[in-house]
Amino acid sequence: MLIPLLFALAIAGQAAPAAEDAPERGPGRFFVSPMGEPFYGRTSGEDGLIVWFQRADANHDGAITADEMVADSDRFFAMLDRAGDGEIDPDDMLYYEGVLAPQLRAQSIVTVTTRPGGETAEHVDNESASGRYGLMKIPQPVASADRNFNRGVSRDELRAAARRRFQMLDAAAAGRLTLPQLKDIRRAAAQAANRQPAREAGPSSDPNAAEYRKY
């Protein structure tokens, strides 16, 4: 967990990219895909989850497979690898955090606890935003794919993260995820994000938090 935190702090000190580079915002509900890509509903009553699902479901059979999630991560990788050098580097991450998905870095919640003896401690809960907007409690979904801690994410690392996250979401090991299933997962994630941070109450029992705990 320390390395991605240092990664985020390092890029936070750089200047943000121009706002005019930001993708067009829709009027519907904001959603962050399991890989971290932002989506907006195309109409005021539409959820961005539906927009992402329809794009990721390449054969339009009403379900997303692990291979389709990997293919979706490849498309997102090409969007983030702006230099075309085969790696999502700190500059690309700055673009992601500052332009594509600024909501994930703007929703940190600080809670203060009092320990025996009157000593206070602060806890920064960055999981709340990703849980509220997406399906999984992973504060920085792109940087968390960096498995060799070199401050960059390769295509293979993002693909591997896509397979891990598919397995986390596919709790029944059915090999497919339907839209109703994902709506249920999102509803549970949003409810959990609106409650007191799990770390203040004790270890999280949410299986979708497993990937975040690895870093």
Side-chain angles (χ1 to χ4, degrees):
M1 184 176 68
L2 178 59
I3 299 299
L5 176 59
L6 294 176
F7 192 178
L9 290 174
I11 63 175
Q14 301 180 40
E20 58 266 24
D21 290 339
E24 181 180 356
R25 267 56 169 166
R29 185 179 179 186
F30 178 67
F31 171 73
V32 176
S33 79
M35 303 315 299
E37 186 175 1
F39 288 88
Y40 295 82
R42 293 159 292 198
T43 65
S44 60
E46 186 177 49
D47 192 337
L49 168 61
I50 296 174
V51 179
W52 169 71
F53 184 89
Q54 291 175 345
R55 175 175 290 184
D57 179 18
N59 62 1
H60 307 296
D61 67 345
I64 294 174
T65 64
D67 287 344
E68 285 176 323
M69 188 172 284
V70 169
D72 191 63
S73 78
D74 281 347
R75 179 189 54 76
F76 187 38
F77 181 91
M79 179 191 304
L80 292 178
D81 181 19
R82 304 177 80 204
D85 58 4
E87 183 173 77
I88 302 170
D89 57 30
D91 286 340
D92 297 325
M93 204 68 68
L94 177 64
Y95 173 75
Y96 171 68
E97 291 191 348
V99 174
L100 291 184
Q103 296 88 342
L104 295 187
R105 64 188 296 184
Q107 294 292 326
S108 296
I109 297 175
V110 179
T111 57
V112 179
T113 57
T114 302
R115 298 173 179 171
E119 181 183 0
T120 61
E122 288 188 355
H123 167 71
V124 180
D125 174 34
N126 290 312
E127 297 184 16
S128 297
S130 57
R132 184 173 295 113
Y133 296 132
L135 303 172
M136 311 180 77
K137 296 196 297 184
I138 305 175
Q140 219 290 20
V142 179
S144 293
D146 177 15
R147 301 293 282 187
N148 61 4
F149 308 120
N150 70 342
R151 300 180 69 243
V153 177
S154 68
R155 186 184 301 274
D156 286 344
E157 284 177 319
L158 201 64
R159 285 175 173 174
R163 292 197 180 277
R164 289 194 305 273
R165 294 171 193 179
F166 180 88
Q167 291 172 356
M168 291 178 191
L169 293 170
D170 183 23
R176 61 201 309 269
L177 296 168
T178 65
L179 184 58
Q181 287 175 313
L182 294 175
K183 286 182 176 180
D184 287 343
I185 292 172
R186 182 176 191 186
R187 188 177 304 111
Q191 290 172 349
N194 287 324
R195 292 196 295 267
Q196 182 180 5
R199 290 184 184 180
E200 296 299 329
S204 172
S205 59
D206 185 349
N208 291 341
E211 174 136 338
Y212 170 60
R213 291 198 300 270
K214 292 177 183 177
Y215 295 92

